[in-house]
Amino acid sequence: MSQTHRLSQGGGIDRARELTFTFNGRRYQGHPGDTLASALLANGVSVIGRSFKYHRPRGIVGAGPEEPNAIFQVGTGATTRPDQRATQVELFDGLVASTSARLGFDPLSVNNMFARMLPAGFYYKTFKWPATYWPRYEEKIRAVAGIGESPIEPDADRYDHMNAHCDVLVVGGGPAGLAAAQRAASAGARVILVDENPAFGGSLLSGRDAPDNHVDGRSNRDWIANTVAELAAMPDVRLLTRTTAFGNYDHNFIGLMEDRGDYLGQPAAHGVRHRLWRVRARQVVLATGALERPLVFGNNDRPGVMTASAVSIYINRYGVTPGYRAVVFTNNDSAYGTALDLHAAGIDVAAVVDVRRRPSGALAAAVRAAKIPIHDGCTLIKARGGRRVRSVEIGRLSGEQLTGDRWKISCDLVASSGGWSPVVHLHCHIGSKPVWDDQAACFLPGADNPGQTSAGSVTGHFNLRDCLAQGFERGDAAAAAAGFEPTAGTAPSAPAAGETMPIRPFWLAPSGAPISRGPKQFVDFQNDTSAADIALAVREGYESVEHVKRYTALGFGTDQGKLGNINGMAILAATLGKSIAETGTTTFRPAYTPISFGALAGRNAGHLFDPERKTAMHEWHAAHGALFENVGQWKRPWYYPKDGESMQESLDRECQTTRTAAGVLDASTLGKIEVHGADADRFLDLIYTGARRNMKTGTCRYGLMLHEDGMIFDDGVTAKLGDNHYFLTTTTGGAAGVMNWLEAWHQTEWPDMDVFFTSITDQWATIAVNGPKSREVLQALCNDIDFDRDAFAFMTFREGTVAGVAARVFRISFTGELAFEINVDANHGRYVWEAVMAAGAPYGITVYGTETMHILRAEKGFIVAGQDTDGSMTPMDMGMQWAVGKKKTDFIGMRSLARPDIVASGRKQFVGLLPTDGTVVLPEGAQLVDDPQAPLPMPMVGHVSSSYHSVTLGHSFALALVKDGQSRMGETVYSPQPDGSVIAATIAGPVFYDREGARQNV
Amino acid sequence: MFQIDCPWCGPRDQQEFSYAGEGGIQRPQDPSATTDAEWADYLFMRRNPRGMHHEQWRHVHGCGQFFQVTRHTVTYRIESIRRMGESAAAGGESS
Ligand SMILES: [Zn+2]
């Protein structure tokens, strides 16, 4: 039998079935009900990894979320998961796990021999300079320190989110939580009870089946089964196991992560691997329990040194003994229970070492009766042994010091208990500070958060009877606070606790040598932080617990210091000569245990990450070879390459055809808003820089919108559809923001105005026909609009039919060519689009995408808000004074245009740039300087905002923002490039083509 | 994650809302009559109190209405919620 440490009886495992698993390439057997940790211990595996900094051999220390060492990679390929606590990984057949660090002799363990050269802050000090070397150091450090690997293949599993509401959420299904849930549910409250373990029962599951564990006269397991069955039968109770409440957020919002797949190996067919629950609860009962602290002594990281409660859990829950000759080391009563558990399992308990003199109390009496030797008033000085503890050195204490009297006991297991730390994490997530309690020697939850209370050992009550009574009472109180009448009943009863002896706080075992000379006394196993590191941090001037944490890395690991933080803070306090209450704790933040990215993302991944918006003509574009670009959520055709064309060849063709014949753009994505109401004129006058009040029905005006600071944030065309009725366009990406802007001003500043806004972007399809032949194309499709140059003037619109479909046709131009924009019901968009293409065929009409649109508009110096402006440009900066109403007395942003900073010289101004070498296209975003030979840091005078090659001009050109650029025409600026080259360009006006604007007025 | 009691729709999750800046900031009646300092104060200066804060929120993924919230910036407790134009004291319409 390879399960050398499996007890012949006991535990909640299914001995009839055997599971095979692989750890670091070796096959082992376990049973259903095992965790990966219990199965490894059953197989006698003591070294499970190497430590982070010194590469010391490490073993399993705990049995739950506090485990710092047994952090494994589980699974392979796309579903491999790093950072899994073996103590919480349920065993399944075929499980594959590994540690990332090598076992056996490890060349890096030489670090250990030079340990004194690797004190706290070593990496900070050594690898700090020169700064440019840091990436190289970091790479080396990361390579040896790796704690896991992320999967590199796409995640094939599903994850989802569930929103839930309840009257009472109970976190923790131990005795207190079960009692609370039972009470709240019996009062009629909707209850959710969650527990991170596969089964409810909490501490009851880790105790022996002994009369002192009985509840209501039943065995602990019977009582659990009965209570859970009762709860499950109630219609408004939801029971969630394998579900961790990882975060407590404001207004009683709790985040839960439910495992629905990891424990099986694979999620069920069509199931999810993890589910994120977003729970809003009227009342919350935190019954989160307590975690045991180890004692800190020399070489306390040797495999075989564990917490006492973990030893009890392995024996009682899994039928596994982590060793065959144990020494129990304690400063309180609870570890005596572990001595009795070991004894009952037939394991030799060599000694109980208690730092207290003459331990009294019922448990100590029972240990004495079992003839287990008690070494009172003594401490462990250090453990001996390499890959496994072989013996311990014990010394007699006088106060906090050693008397000099020392002896050795051989053992292969040390079970230590330094007392219990309530799991106050959730209580503290929303800002509450825990309160140090000298009596219980632990931090307790402070004042209750609104709508929340705590019950059970998290409140410092460590005996079963008190926990049950408190759970019962807090369950009633939570139901009452949620508006339910508690029913009659009495709390579940447990035997009275026997006589107890108080804990003696004992934070650091003396070694008889200065702290930096003795054997290492580890506080944080995962980060290799020792007591000496904390002392060093204090010597170097660190006093705040938050700073010491960052300097020593105490509590920085994936375990977040669940095991070691309180010990570390107490050692810090003692070193500083302060009390623990004065030193305080570091901040508790979500997540309590790590949660998966998959759970956070849920279904918001892949194509569901963000909605894709497509125009009515999208499928036509796709069928005609369009390449698309994302503009906000929209998919817009970018350009349409024809057989074998390069991108530039496509653009040249699209540009040339549009300038010489006709081109069509799908402009449906432009934001469209209708504005109605008696005060629409007055309101739009305040929104736009230009006047709207004197517009005539049937006309259009270009307009700029400014923020109140005077900076351009959007632009578009306003059309007056009738009295008190306007139609405005916005940029494609700015539509939602403009809508919000209009609503904000109306609702919060001018609520008395009679004005309404309706988004109609999706309801209309827009087909922009540009080019000298655009009139002919429209005339071929429309017989009820007069397209005569004077009858249908520039910047007006007409209503009629195009291809038989009711349409509004605007004579506006974003290319500088004669142009018409056809707006039709989006449902007819593709039909009209195809009609336009057919009508244009005799003229050689082309379709063009956003890239050609940009070239054509930039040749004309037309800006794109958000590309040529970046939230720091005024209309004057952009040379657009013409768009500002001279006679207006007010509009949003107007007053700011007179601010001293805005009228001062030295502002960046909008200009054109002509590269000296017309074959070179300046990169957009490139910085501009006056003297490329200037010493660093080189003064920058501007940047390129738009830049293209123009087939029409026969050379490249750019738009840019240059300090005082409008008065620097003809001067040369330079753009140093990352490859060391420098591009020279001459400053010019921003209009490169048809400066007089003749082409759109034909 | 707050729960915000929209005065038009009732209690909803924070993710349905967007923050809309400090509340109670009045745009000067005649901006052109303000000094540069007065205008800069209106434009840029915002309170950042440790304690009660008057804010505007918008139920952007709901009714679309802006409303006023008084919230404690340490405890995040929402002390009161009012429609635009409702005064804090009376809870009724003010002119
Ligand atoms: Zn609402």
Side-chain angles (χ1 to χ4, degrees):
Chain A
M1 155 137 173
S2 59
Q3 296 188 38
T4 53
H5 288 63
R6 183 76 72 183
L7 296 167
S8 56
Q9 55 183 23
I13 50 164
D14 178 3
R15 288 168 191 270
R17 287 175 53 209
E18 211 160 65
L19 304 175
T20 300
F21 68 100
T22 308
F23 176 65
N24 284 336
R26 286 189 60 180
R27 290 160 69 86
Y28 299 96
Q29 267 75 44
H31 296 294
D34 264 327
T35 62
L36 180 52
S38 71
L40 285 168
L41 288 169
N43 284 276
V45 177
S46 59
V47 178
I48 49 79
R50 292 266 166 182
S51 74
F52 178 80
K53 196 158 95 179
Y54 303 121
H55 287 251
R56 290 164 70 108
R58 289 283 162 82
I60 294 162
V61 171
E66 76 284 4
E67 172 60 35
N69 289 339
I71 310 294
F72 295 154
Q73 190 85 23
V74 176
T76 55
T79 58
T80 186
R81 288 171 288 125
D83 187 24
Q84 301 296 301
R85 295 163 302 286
T87 50
Q88 294 189 298
V89 172
E90 290 176 61
L91 199 67
F92 54 86
D93 204 42
L95 183 149
V96 176
S98 60
T99 36
S100 42
R102 283 165 293 177
L103 295 180
F105 176 72
D106 185 329
L108 281 161
S109 63
V110 293
N111 271 6
N112 198 19
M113 298 175 206
F114 299 111
R116 282 188 192 90
M117 294 166 60
L118 286 171
F122 169 77
Y123 290 129
Y124 292 122
K125 291 167 184 166
T126 310
F127 297 122
K128 204 168 170 186
W129 303 104
T132 49
Y133 277 34
W134 171 248
R136 223 178 297 170
Y137 292 141
E138 190 185 24
E139 194 184 321
K140 288 266 182 275
I141 295 168
R142 298 263 174 234
V144 298
I147 205 163
E149 280 172 29
S150 296
I152 51 172
E153 294 159 51
D155 192 330
D157 291 320
R158 286 187 187 184
Y159 302 81
D160 70 9
H161 290 173
M162 189 80 93
N163 291 292
H165 294 259
C166 65
D167 297 310
V168 180
L169 169 69
V170 181
V171 179
L178 284 169
Q182 210 274 343
R183 282 310 283 169
S186 69
R190 284 182 306 162
V191 172
I192 298 178
L193 172 65
V194 300
D195 196 285
E196 64 186 341
N197 293 293
F200 292 110
S203 59
L204 286 174
L205 294 174
S206 27
R208 262 169 303 142
D209 182 15
D212 56 340
N213 275 332
H214 285 188
V215 182
D216 286 343
R218 299 160 179 261
S219 82
N220 45 12
R221 279 163 209 272
D222 265 10
W223 182 78
I224 295 164
N226 192 61
T227 307
V228 171
E230 248 179 60
L231 284 167
M234 297 197 206
D236 282 338
V237 174
R238 188 189 291 278
L239 300 175
L240 295 170
T241 52
R242 300 184 176 96
T243 303
T244 303
F246 63 82
N248 185 8
Y249 302 92
D250 297 290
H251 301 180
N252 274 6
F253 183 82
I254 316 291
L256 316 175
M257 186 176 103
E258 181 186 10
D259 170 28
R260 296 174 69 88
D262 288 351
Y263 76 97
L264 298 167
Q266 278 300 313
H270 310 298
V272 297
R273 183 174 281 276
H274 300 152
R275 173 168 291 160
L276 184 86
W277 289 80
R278 304 155 43 89
V279 180
R280 185 78 68 177
R282 281 185 209 281
Q283 295 290 315
V284 176
V285 179
L286 299 170
T288 47
L291 293 173
E292 196 173 26
R293 299 186 293 260
L295 287 164
V296 181
F297 57 93
N299 295 333
N300 57 336
D301 64 326
R302 287 289 176 244
V305 179
M306 305 174 74
T307 62
S309 58
V311 171
S312 287
I313 289 171
Y314 288 116
I315 292 171
N316 295 320
R317 203 188 288 181
Y318 304 107
V320 170
T321 182
Y324 281 102
R325 185 173 159 84
V327 168
V328 175
F329 179 28
T330 189
N331 66 347
N332 69 91
D333 280 3
S334 72
Y336 284 85
T338 299
L340 294 171
D341 290 339
L342 285 159
H343 184 72
I347 308 302
D348 181 14
V349 182
V352 173
V353 179
D354 193 332
V355 300
R356 302 173 298 179
R357 301 286 304 277
R358 284 186 290 280
S360 57
L363 284 168
V367 165
R368 277 194 194 94
K371 307 238 181 314
I372 298 170
I374 298 177
H375 302 233
D376 71 322
C378 293
T379 182
L380 292 202
I381 299 169
K382 64 180 174 189
R384 294 174 178 277
R387 292 169 59 81
R388 166 122 212 165
V389 58
R390 284 198 321 268
S391 65
V392 289
E393 198 173 307
I394 297 168
R396 190 167 303 288
L397 285 167
S398 167
E400 301 287 324
Q401 297 308 315
L402 294 170
T403 61
D405 190 10
R406 301 175 176 222
W407 59 97
K408 209 171 93 175
I409 296 181
S410 66
C411 63
D412 64 353
L413 174 66
V414 175
S416 94
S417 177
W420 292 79
S421 297
V423 178
V424 297
H425 301 62
L426 290 175
H427 173 78
C428 296
H429 280 175
I430 44 180
S432 309
K433 292 278 176 205
V435 179
W436 180 256
D437 185 296
D438 272 322
Q439 212 74 53
C442 61
F443 281 102
L444 298 177
D448 281 343
N449 296 305
Q452 303 194 346
T453 183
S454 303
S457 57
V458 69
T459 67
H461 288 86
F462 295 123
N463 77 68
L464 179 58
R465 182 186 247 196
D466 290 351
C467 288
L468 289 165
Q470 202 184 20
F472 182 89
E473 177 219 319
R474 300 283 156 92
D476 272 351
F484 296 87
E485 184 79 27
T487 56
T490 53
S493 68
E499 193 202 331
T500 58
M501 182 177 180
I503 183 173
R504 173 186 167 191
F506 189 78
W507 304 111
L508 182 60
S511 69
I515 193 165
S516 58
R517 297 280 164 207
K520 286 208 164 291
Q521 300 160 312
F522 285 96
V523 175
D524 180 328
F525 294 101
Q526 201 173 98
N527 286 304
D528 267 354
T529 308
S530 68
D533 292 326
I534 295 170
L536 175 68
V538 171
R539 278 207 306 283
E540 297 196 346
Y542 292 91
E543 289 182 9
S544 152
V545 61
E546 296 283 4
H547 294 160
V548 170
K549 168 183 171 174
R550 282 151 185 80
Y551 194 58
T552 63
L554 170 69
F556 254 104
T558 57
D559 59 336
Q560 294 282 288
K562 290 184 182 64
L563 199 72
N565 261 12
I566 304 299
N567 284 336
M569 289 160 198
I571 291 167
L572 172 66
T575 315
L576 289 168
K578 291 184 178 174
S579 71
I580 297 171
E582 286 168 331
T583 312
T585 64
T586 50
T587 309
F588 294 88
R589 293 190 177 88
Y592 174 66
T593 47
I595 60 173
S596 66
F597 283 108
L600 288 173
R603 292 295 179 94
N604 304 317
H607 73 287
L608 296 177
F609 177 67
D610 201 30
E612 282 182 3
R613 300 177 76 182
K614 295 172 179 171
T615 73
M617 292 79 97
H618 182 87
E619 300 308 325
W620 188 96
H621 303 316
H624 288 75
L627 299 181
F628 291 91
E629 75 165 333
N630 296 326
V631 182
Q633 293 171 332
W634 288 102
K635 297 280 169 200
R636 294 199 72 179
W638 187 21
Y639 64 100
Y640 299 78
K642 276 189 176 167
D643 17 76
E645 277 180 346
S646 68
M647 179 174 179
Q648 191 60 52
E649 286 165 349
S650 303
L651 300 178
D652 290 352
R653 174 182 47 76
E654 291 175 10
C655 286
Q656 231 157 4
T657 311
T658 305
R659 289 257 184 252
T660 58
V664 188
L665 173 79
D666 182 355
S668 307
T669 62
L670 286 186
K672 304 184 241 351
I673 298 169
E674 272 197 38
V675 181
H676 299 256
D679 292 311
D681 295 339
R682 195 151 71 91
F683 184 84
L684 291 180
D685 249 8
L686 285 161
I687 292 294
Y688 281 110
T689 55
R692 293 292 173 271
R693 206 179 294 230
N694 54 3
M695 280 179 71
K696 290 192 174 61
T697 298
T699 63
C700 307
R701 259 181 214 177
Y702 175 79
L704 289 174
M705 287 187 196
L706 311 186
H707 280 149
E708 190 75 292
D709 61 5
M711 305 302 164
I712 296 169
F713 86 98
D714 208 84
D715 68 347
V717 169
T718 314
K720 183 159 184 173
L721 301 180
D723 287 342
N724 309 325
H725 191 188
Y726 291 85
F727 166 93
L728 26 135
T729 64
T730 73
T731 56
T732 296
V738 170
M739 195 67 189
N740 189 65
W741 183 247
L742 302 177
E743 288 288 353
W745 283 101
H746 178 224
Q747 291 187 33
T748 70
E749 197 67 40
W750 302 306
D752 297 335
M753 285 200 194
D754 177 17
V755 62
F756 303 89
F757 318 100
T758 310
S759 168
I760 51 165
T761 303
D762 292 306
Q763 281 71 22
W764 293 84
T766 304
I767 302 162
V769 189
N770 285 263
K773 298 295 179 196
S774 56
R775 180 176 281 129
E776 283 88 333
V777 176
L778 268 290
Q779 279 170 330
L781 291 169
C782 175
N783 53 18
D784 53 4
I785 295 175
D786 182 356
F787 284 91
D788 176 78
R789 141 184 195 154
D790 298 317
F792 189 170
F794 185 56
M795 293 306 276
T796 65
F797 71 90
R798 295 288 179 273
E799 287 177 346
T801 57
V802 174
V805 175
R808 199 179 278 145
V809 181
F810 295 84
R811 190 176 162 193
I812 53 180
S813 175
F814 198 42
T815 58
E817 300 296 334
L818 175 69
F820 299 91
E821 289 193 2
I822 307 164
N823 282 256
V824 294
D825 179 337
N827 292 312
H828 301 299
R830 176 157 178 185
Y831 170 76
V832 176
W833 175 271
E834 291 187 26
V836 168
M837 294 308 294
Y843 306 100
I845 197 167
T846 183
V847 61
Y848 67 89
T850 51
E851 195 64 21
T852 289
M853 173 192 83
H854 274 293
I855 297 170
L856 298 175
R857 65 88 196 172
E859 288 169 350
K860 288 290 296 174
F862 296 150
I863 67 162
V864 168
Q867 173 162 342
D868 300 297
T869 69
D870 62 3
S872 69
M873 279 95 187
T874 67
M876 289 86 84
D877 295 339
M878 300 307 287
M880 297 174 80
Q881 294 85 337
W882 53 267
V884 179
K886 302 287 172 295
K887 294 179 194 148
K888 292 183 77 168
T889 54
D890 191 15
F891 57 83
I892 295 165
M894 180 176 157
R895 172 64 184 83
S896 290
L897 299 181
R899 290 183 59 238
D901 289 347
I902 303 301
V903 297
S905 65
R907 293 187 61 82
K908 284 187 178 180
Q909 296 175 328
F910 188 58
V911 294
L913 288 182
L914 287 166
T916 312
D917 178 352
T919 64
V920 174
V921 178
L922 278 158
E924 288 177 352
Q927 295 293 316
L928 302 169
V929 302
D930 282 334
D931 175 9
Q933 306 304 327
L936 298 175
M938 213 177 278
M940 292 180 285
V941 298
H943 68 271
V944 176
S945 59
S946 295
S947 180
Y948 313 95
H949 175 79
S950 165
V951 67
T952 308
L953 302 175
H955 54 75
S956 61
F957 73 106
L959 300 171
L961 290 129
V962 176
K963 278 183 192 165
D964 296 323
Q966 283 156 11
S967 54
R968 295 189 57 189
M969 293 298 147
E971 294 182 25
T972 304
V973 287
Y974 301 88
S975 178
Q977 296 300 303
D979 66 1
S981 66
V982 174
I983 303 171
T986 309
I987 300 176
V991 184
F992 295 88
Y993 183 69
D994 185 27
R995 286 201 181 79
E996 46 294 339
R999 297 183 65 86
Q1000 65 196 13
N1001 288 318
V1002 292
Chain B
M1 183 73 78
F2 306 159
Q3 189 175 47
I4 299 174
D5 193 359
C6 172
W8 303 90
C9 308
R12 295 289 196 282
D13 206 87
Q14 183 181 342
Q15 63 181 354
E16 294 186 15
F17 298 85
S18 61
Y19 180 64
E22 185 180 336
I25 293 173
Q26 189 72 44
R27 189 174 193 263
Q29 209 62 46
D30 181 3
S32 60
T34 59
T35 64
D36 284 338
E38 287 165 349
W39 184 252
D41 183 64
Y42 154 71
L43 202 53
F44 299 121
M45 303 311 286
R46 295 294 180 268
R47 297 175 69 239
N48 184 20
R50 182 184 167 86
M52 284 314 171
H53 193 222
H54 299 289
E55 311 176 327
Q56 293 180 149
W57 286 74
R58 185 182 186 204
H59 194 187
V60 63
H61 300 296
C63 62
Q65 294 297 302
F66 286 80
F67 53 91
Q68 311 175 74
V69 173
T70 302
R71 186 176 64 92
H72 197 284
T73 58
V74 177
T75 65
Y76 292 177
R77 199 179 119 91
I78 291 176
E79 298 294 330
S80 70
I81 291 188
R82 286 153 285 124
R83 297 180 180 189
M84 295 309 301
E86 275 178 6
S87 72
E93 291 292 321
S94 70
S95 51

